[in-house]
Amino acid sequence: MALISLSLLAVGSASAAATEEAVADEAAADVAAMKQTSQPPAGFVDRPIVALDWTLAETLTGIGVRAMGVGQVATYASWVAQPALPQGTRDLGLRTQPNLEQLAALAPADILISPMLSSLAPRLSAIAPVTSIAIYTPDADTWQTLVKATRQLGKLTQREPQAEQLIRLSTARLAGYNAALRQQAARKGQSPLPLLMVQFMDDRHVRIFGDNSLFQAVIERMGIDNAWQGDTNAWGFATVSLEKLVTLKGRMVVVEPLPPGGHQALAHNGLWQAMPGVRENSQASAPLFLPPVWSFGALPSANRFAALLASHLIDDEAALEGETTDGNH
């Protein structure tokens, strides 16, 4: 029995060693592949940093920086969509559980995180300096924190002119939409309806966005009211049931992605059929379904959300000429 136990221990040790060696080989292969990556796409520069947080990653993209890696690259494409990460950006694994072997092999000069990922800082700091950049904080002006974070990233990556350009273009774009909506309201004698901005969690519950949210910061600058005046958390949303929204007056704005089978489920959902705009069956108040926008994003996502809204709410196509929807550099 002693011999059997020793044999099992030996097998276990050999198996663990083989696993560790396989992990190390995989990390080394990833690094080798990255080193062979082509030059950054036109308009971008490479910087020896990684960004686990999507909000920071989209801002880097917006000022023309290709980071060495970003957390959950494929999922970013589903939830953030635009601006698309530059070709060649490495996937570092889960944002909350990044591949530490790959990170160590990349040897970045800086690792960018948000305060939400602060629990990772002790382990990450053993690899490289960690910079935490906060955007969504209680009792702060969300737009100003977006501007501040953009400037901070511009300075960190030696892209300060590009950061200032993104700030100027974002501010001017929203001011332009505001002016176009006011002119349209004067012509029609009717202002846009207040908005109920939601993302579905399941067929009966939504995140509804209000004070301190990216979406609120955008519509404020476009001169549009928010129909939700209830409490929100530090991220600017509250999780509520559809029943709570039935009596509110406003136009529903649904930001995708929806849960699997979402559109079909809504067609048979009695609560949804009682929602503002759905029950009236009016084109002027019908719910708007927007493609994915990162609801916890920065200026690039603010630009995308504003442009998508404007495409539905502003009739004059001339007012939208030259506008893009990704807020990219």
Side-chain angles (χ1 to χ4, degrees):
M1 288 297 293
L3 286 174
I4 293 174
S5 298
L6 288 172
S7 298
L8 290 174
L9 285 172
V11 171
S13 299
S15 176
T19 300
E20 291 177 1
E21 184 176 349
V23 169
D25 288 345
E26 182 179 355
D30 286 340
V31 174
M34 198 207 74
K35 290 180 178 178
Q36 295 173 4
T37 299
S38 61
Q39 293 298 313
F44 285 91
V45 297
D46 280 336
R47 291 291 185 262
I49 58 177
V50 299
L52 299 182
D53 181 88
W54 288 344
T55 306
L56 303 180
E58 72 164 22
T59 305
L60 291 173
T61 302
I63 61 175
V65 172
R66 181 173 71 168
M68 299 174 81
V70 171
Q72 292 177 262
V73 168
T75 314
Y76 174 104
S78 298
W79 282 91
V80 185
Q82 295 292 331
L85 295 172
Q87 185 177 5
T89 302
R90 302 293 299 174
D91 191 329
L92 300 175
L94 295 177
R95 290 170 292 164
T96 54
Q97 295 179 339
N99 185 321
L100 298 180
E101 290 84 2
Q102 186 180 77
L103 270 174
L106 289 175
D110 209 337
I111 300 174
L112 306 182
I113 65 170
S114 67
M116 187 179 68
L117 302 176
S118 60
S119 62
L120 299 175
R123 283 175 289 166
L124 297 176
S125 60
I127 298 172
V130 175
T131 299
S132 179
I133 298 178
I135 292 182
Y136 293 90
T137 57
D139 303 319
D141 183 308
T142 300
W143 185 263
Q144 292 307 317
T145 59
L146 301 182
V147 169
K148 181 180 178 181
T150 303
R151 288 190 171 129
Q152 188 174 350
L153 287 170
K155 183 176 183 179
L156 183 69
T157 59
Q158 298 84 50
R159 298 285 281 182
E160 291 168 283
Q162 289 77 10
E164 292 301 325
Q165 181 184 34
L166 176 58
I167 293 166
R168 286 194 304 271
L169 291 176
S170 302
T171 304
R173 172 172 297 175
L174 296 188
Y177 291 150
N178 184 306
L181 284 167
R182 282 190 284 107
Q183 292 169 7
Q184 181 172 286
R187 188 173 65 249
K188 292 185 171 183
Q190 183 179 8
S191 298
L193 292 171
L195 301 180
L196 285 163
M197 302 171 290
V198 304
Q199 281 185 315
F200 272 88
M201 306 301 292
D202 56 41
D203 61 352
R204 297 180 64 88
H205 298 88
V206 298
R207 285 176 175 169
I208 186 161
F209 294 89
D211 189 45
N212 207 49
S213 70
L214 174 77
F215 298 159
Q216 173 76 20
V218 168
I219 65 171
E220 280 181 357
R221 281 154 185 78
M222 292 178 68
I224 305 171
D225 292 331
N226 192 340
W228 176 256
Q229 297 297 313
D231 293 336
T232 59
N233 59 19
W235 293 91
F237 72 88
T239 301
V240 301
S241 65
L242 287 179
E243 289 99 326
K244 196 162 185 177
L245 307 183
V246 170
T247 60
L248 297 181
K249 295 181 179 180
R251 188 169 192 180
M252 191 76 69
V253 176
V254 179
V255 181
E256 298 181 345
L258 294 177
H263 285 283
Q264 184 176 3
L266 288 180
H268 299 91
N269 187 321
L271 284 172
W272 174 254
Q273 299 305 318
M275 286 293 107
V278 181
R279 59 176 178 257
E280 292 90 352
N281 195 26
S282 165
Q283 183 175 357
S285 60
L288 302 177
F289 285 83
L290 304 185
V293 178
W294 185 228
S295 54
F296 313 119
L299 291 182
S301 283
N303 289 333
R304 175 169 167 78
F305 182 66
L308 290 169
L309 270 184
S311 69
H312 288 283
L313 300 179
I314 299 176
D315 296 337
D316 185 3
E317 293 185 4
L320 303 177
E321 283 186 3
E323 295 293 344
T324 59
T325 61
D326 61 6
N328 205 350
H329 64 288

